[in-house]
Amino acid sequence: MSKKITMDDLLKDADIARLQNGDVVEGVVLSVHKHEVWVDIGARGVGVVSRKELGYGTTTKEGDTVTASVIDPETKQGHALLSLRRAAKDKGWEDIVKMFEDGETVTVKPYDANRGGLLVELDGVRGFLPVSQLSADNYPRVSSADKDEILQKLHGVVGKELRVRILDANKKENKLIFSEKEALKEDVAKRFAELKEGDTVKGVVTGVIDFGAFVNVGGIEGLIHISEISWERIEDPRNHIKVGEEVEAKIVAIDKERLSLSIKQLSDDPWLQEVEKLPKGTTVKGSVTRITPFGAFVQISPSVEALVHISEMAEADEQADPEKVFKLGETKEFTVLDVDKDGRKIALSMK
């Protein structure tokens, strides 16, 4: 005997087909087009997903089983509007909050950049990786606060796999912040513990600025101050060191986040060698490099610069004007008046 179907049974079946905004449904992809994807959601009919509702990096093909959220239960055309992105986002928040609470390290690929950092999507949820939270490998070192140059360097990181940790995850405020530095913190701390002042290390130059060069030493940031690049006097570090160049340097100081490095200290100081040949009373020739109110600086050799005080100018007194006595670049003959090895100073006289 067949089972009798009641009106309640019919109403229950009808309820199956009723969709509500925000419902999560499962379906099978019927077809994929340039701007939309059609999905069979069984007794509830057919739904359509626009390209923007697929989510970043999501690809589908016919026959795939997908989970979607209902945006509009029934349009004028009679089908439901669906979103894979929203469904993934709701599910993603659950997983992300757990990752945050567990302190997990995850791998992400930034999909875009702005002047403040990188835009990242994880499990359908969009988040942000600030510039300040980038590692030494990816931090945009520029010569000035040029925001366009910073943005250009950040675009170079888009699409690159990064290991990150979640700094903040708040679904209510739709706030998701990542940090690459935190993910590498333990590794960097371990490397720091293995280093000591006086060690010689190798690294790659990541940025050259007015006061020196930044170097990536195995994930640790190092700085070579302009005064530590060469024993010679340097006006512009860019003329002596280039981004991408591998350099060898000595660790002269270690702080919590950075190494202070020196290239010049890996070689003998040519100044000390040359001043041995300049005892008091020696006559030398030199080129005027700087003129000041109190005298002039003279380059005796590439490594040795000396000072002619205003009181030691020929037929001059304290009121003389060095600008009238000297011209930049001119070569003159001088007498070594004094050599101070500890203070690295040489005094010359024209008298």
Side-chain angles (χ1 to χ4, degrees):
M1 178 182 253
S2 61
K3 181 182 177 182
K4 185 177 180 180
I5 299 175
T6 66
M7 182 58 72
D8 287 341
D9 293 330
L10 291 173
L11 289 174
K12 285 179 182 178
D13 289 340
D15 285 341
I16 293 174
R18 290 197 191 114
L19 291 174
Q20 300 291 328
N21 189 5
D23 282 353
V24 177
V25 296
E26 191 173 271
V28 178
V29 175
L30 292 172
S31 59
V32 179
H33 303 279
K34 184 176 181 181
H35 299 296
E36 59 197 19
V37 174
W38 289 86
V39 180
D40 178 2
I41 49 178
R44 297 183 173 189
V46 175
V48 63
V49 183
S50 66
R51 277 291 172 186
K52 71 175 184 178
E53 292 300 330
L54 282 176
Y56 173 72
T58 301
T59 57
T60 57
K61 62 181 184 299
E62 290 183 18
D64 282 353
T65 298
V66 295
T67 302
S69 288
V70 177
I71 298 176
D72 186 346
E74 187 174 1
T75 65
K76 292 180 181 179
Q77 289 74 31
H79 55 254
L81 285 181
L82 307 176
S83 172
L84 269 60
R85 180 176 62 83
R86 188 178 297 182
K89 185 176 180 180
D90 290 340
K91 175 65 169 62
W93 268 117
E94 296 177 16
D95 296 335
I96 285 168
V97 169
K98 188 176 186 305
M99 291 176 198
F100 173 54
E101 292 173 346
D102 294 344
E104 283 187 38
T105 297
V106 296
T107 300
V108 297
K109 284 185 180 181
Y111 65 87
D112 203 354
N114 60 33
R115 289 182 175 89
L118 298 165
L119 308 183
V120 177
E121 185 170 309
L122 177 63
D123 290 348
V125 181
R126 293 189 175 185
F128 191 61
L129 175 53
V131 170
S132 62
Q133 293 302 319
L134 286 169
S135 69
D137 283 341
N138 298 311
Y139 192 90
R141 293 294 177 193
V142 297
S143 55
S144 62
D146 187 331
K147 292 183 179 180
D148 290 333
E149 191 177 355
I150 291 173
L151 181 59
Q152 183 181 3
K153 287 185 176 291
L154 287 173
H155 274 297
V157 187
V158 171
K160 180 179 178 181
E161 283 194 352
L162 304 178
R163 287 176 58 210
V164 298
R165 274 187 181 157
I166 301 167
L167 278 188
D168 193 6
N170 190 318
K171 182 179 179 181
K172 187 177 180 180
E173 297 179 6
N174 196 31
K175 184 180 180 182
L176 179 58
I177 307 296
F178 297 97
S179 171
E180 187 185 21
K181 286 171 69 174
E182 283 297 313
L184 303 176
K185 195 173 183 179
E186 292 173 5
D187 291 344
V188 171
K190 184 178 179 181
R191 292 186 193 126
F192 259 111
E194 296 170 348
L195 298 172
K196 62 182 183 298
E197 289 184 21
D199 283 353
T200 298
V201 294
K202 289 183 179 180
V204 177
V205 178
T206 57
V208 184
I209 52 180
D210 292 340
F211 60 83
F214 289 98
V215 180
N216 177 14
V217 181
I220 299 174
E221 184 178 76
L223 173 66
I224 306 173
H225 191 267
I226 184 173
S227 63
E228 293 296 331
I229 293 175
S230 171
W231 290 109
E232 297 179 17
R233 186 168 173 272
I234 291 178
E235 296 288 346
D236 187 348
R238 298 169 189 83
N239 296 330
H240 297 263
I241 196 165
K242 307 295 181 185
V243 172
E245 178 183 353
E246 185 178 71
V247 296
E248 191 172 55
K250 178 181 177 181
I251 298 176
V252 293
I254 301 176
D255 62 27
K256 292 181 179 179
E257 294 187 351
R258 182 182 293 168
L259 304 174
S260 292
L261 305 173
S262 174
I263 292 177
K264 76 177 189 182
Q265 291 189 34
L266 290 179
S267 60
D268 293 332
D269 184 354
W271 189 91
L272 291 174
Q273 296 175 3
E274 292 192 33
V275 296
E276 291 294 334
K277 306 171 187 176
L278 300 172
K280 184 176 178 180
T282 304
T283 299
V284 296
K285 285 186 178 181
S287 175
V288 177
T289 56
R290 286 180 289 162
I291 301 172
T292 70
F294 55 83
F297 286 91
V298 176
Q299 198 78 39
I300 298 175
S301 74
S303 304
V304 180
E305 191 176 56
L307 172 68
V308 185
H309 191 266
I310 190 172
S311 62
E312 292 299 326
M313 295 179 186
E315 299 179 3
D317 57 28
E318 295 289 346
Q319 303 302 315
D321 183 357
E323 293 279 359
K324 294 179 180 179
V325 178
F326 295 106
K327 291 181 180 178
L328 284 176
E330 73 173 335
T331 300
K332 286 182 175 290
E333 198 170 79
F334 306 91
T335 300
V336 176
L337 192 65
D338 185 49
V339 177
D340 178 2
K341 291 183 180 180
D342 293 334
R344 293 179 63 85
K345 295 177 182 178
I346 298 178
L348 301 178
S349 175
M350 294 178 66
K351 290 182 178 179

